[in-house]
Amino acid sequence: MSGAGRRRGPPVPSCTEGSRPSDRRIRMMLRNKIAAIYGAGGSLGGAVARALAREGARLMLSGRNLDPVESVAAEIRAAGGDAQAARVDALDRDAVGAHVDGIVRRHGALDISFNAIGLQDTQDIALVDMDLEDFLRPVRIAMQSHFITATAAGRRMKMQGSGVILSLTATPGGIGYPNVGGFGPACCAIESLSRDLASELGPHGVRVVNIRSAGSPDSRVFREAVEQGGDRAAGFIDKLRDDTMLKALPAMDDIANAAVFLASGMAARITGVTLDVTCGTTSALNYKVTPIAFVNRGGTDGD
């Protein structure tokens, strides 16, 4: 579907060269793009929503529980953005289909789709000791919800000849990781689905990209872990940080900025890949500069 019938939002004020850093930039990267976010009431879903809104996107936020989603939407509107909230279960194919149809009917297009729902995973148990249902739950939720939301968006974007479908995984999607239960296989499955869908939709002008995070210490799940787990949880987060090449973890804003970039025209030739925002974790776990034990003789064995 072309953008000819798309209703445009209100004019966005611009600034001139020399403006204060807090002023709006002259050109917004996502001006009037229509974005659907599932799981928008979560901390990462909300962070991505706010970042997209700052760049001019018009947000269609949803989740199973409406109150936190409406709270994020109200915050965006208070800051001058455009956001609507709806109760949508991302595991319900009919509900998601009706939601996407409604977005296109009202706004003329769907430009960005991002699934950030939680996977209800059980961790800190070895696989050999884990209950089957605890293992399968995150895999089932991941595959069902991402298949439903991504294909619903893909069908519409294929018709209009453009669009970006984003997903989010974590470090276990790119490296072997102990005691994460079904969460690791779920991340791998999401990344595989993203690649395969990209290969099908690419000829129609639709991009599909995944973002892999190392975990954001300012996210709700990390904050709650520290509040409840005390020194043990804080030590675990320190270990996660030490496992990275940069000795840092990505903040929620880092993940949100990655989503903005990938959804924008600046990433127009990027599809079918996972953008790694793990600060180097998946390239070398617990990376350290290690002294080499062999004497440098200036040659190879046998010279």
Side-chain angles (χ1 to χ4, degrees):
M1 179 181 297
S2 71
R6 185 194 302 232
R7 293 203 300 269
R8 297 294 179 180
V12 179
S14 62
C15 60
T16 58
E17 291 186 12
S19 299
R20 296 187 307 274
S22 60
D23 290 340
R24 288 180 181 267
R25 291 194 291 275
I26 295 173
R27 178 175 174 270
M28 288 187 165
M29 295 171 68
L30 302 174
R31 183 180 175 126
N32 288 325
K33 295 293 186 181
I34 308 300
I37 299 183
Y38 303 90
S43 54
L44 271 170
V48 170
R50 295 180 191 95
L52 297 182
R54 283 194 295 270
E55 291 297 336
R58 303 170 67 187
L59 279 299
M60 311 297 132
L61 309 181
S62 66
R64 286 193 304 171
N65 301 313
L66 186 58
D67 287 348
V69 177
E70 180 55 56
S71 178
V72 174
E75 182 180 342
I76 290 172
R77 291 193 296 266
D82 186 340
Q84 302 173 22
R87 180 181 286 109
V88 179
D89 184 352
L91 294 169
D92 185 329
R93 188 173 190 173
D94 291 339
V96 171
H99 180 58
V100 170
D101 287 346
I103 291 173
V104 175
R105 187 168 56 252
R106 292 190 302 273
H107 302 284
L110 175 60
D111 301 301
I112 303 162
S113 179
F114 176 57
N115 186 330
I117 77 164
L119 301 185
Q120 301 178 32
D121 46 291
T122 298
Q123 299 192 30
D124 200 26
I125 299 176
L127 289 170
V128 296
D129 298 321
M130 178 163 283
D131 180 78
L132 177 62
E133 175 55 29
D134 286 340
F135 174 78
L136 290 177
R137 186 187 311 110
V139 179
R140 184 175 62 249
I141 291 174
M143 286 294 88
Q144 184 171 335
S145 70
H146 282 268
F147 176 83
I148 289 172
T149 60
T151 57
R155 282 188 289 273
R156 288 295 178 177
M157 293 175 178
K158 181 179 177 180
M159 293 171 61
Q160 68 194 29
S162 64
V164 183
I165 300 170
L166 300 176
S167 54
L168 178 68
T169 58
T171 300
I175 196 169
Y177 215 97
N179 298 328
V180 294
F183 181 66
C187 289
C188 293
I190 292 170
E191 295 184 10
S192 179
L193 174 64
S194 178
R195 289 192 300 270
D196 290 350
L197 189 60
S199 72
E200 295 180 0
L201 294 178
H204 303 281
V206 180
R207 298 189 293 112
V208 188
V209 190
N210 180 70
I211 302 168
R212 185 191 296 149
S213 170
S216 299
D218 57 338
S219 67
R220 183 182 305 154
V221 64
F222 275 72
R223 295 197 312 269
E224 290 178 350
V226 171
E227 291 172 1
Q228 298 169 9
D231 292 342
R232 180 174 180 269
F236 170 70
I237 295 174
D238 288 341
K239 176 63 167 59
L240 290 180
R241 186 178 291 109
D242 191 52
D243 280 345
T244 73
M245 289 183 178
L246 297 178
K247 307 308 172 192
L249 289 172
M252 290 194 295
D253 279 349
D254 294 316
I255 305 304
N257 290 338
V260 167
F261 166 71
L262 290 173
S264 76
M266 295 182 69
R269 297 296 179 261
I270 298 177
T271 193
V273 298
T274 286
L275 180 67
D276 194 299
V277 196
T278 67
C279 300
T281 305
T282 55
S283 294
L285 187 63
N286 200 23
Y287 179 86
K288 290 182 172 63
V289 178
T290 305
I292 304 301
F294 303 105
V295 176
N296 183 4
R297 297 189 176 97
T300 59
D301 189 27
D303 285 349

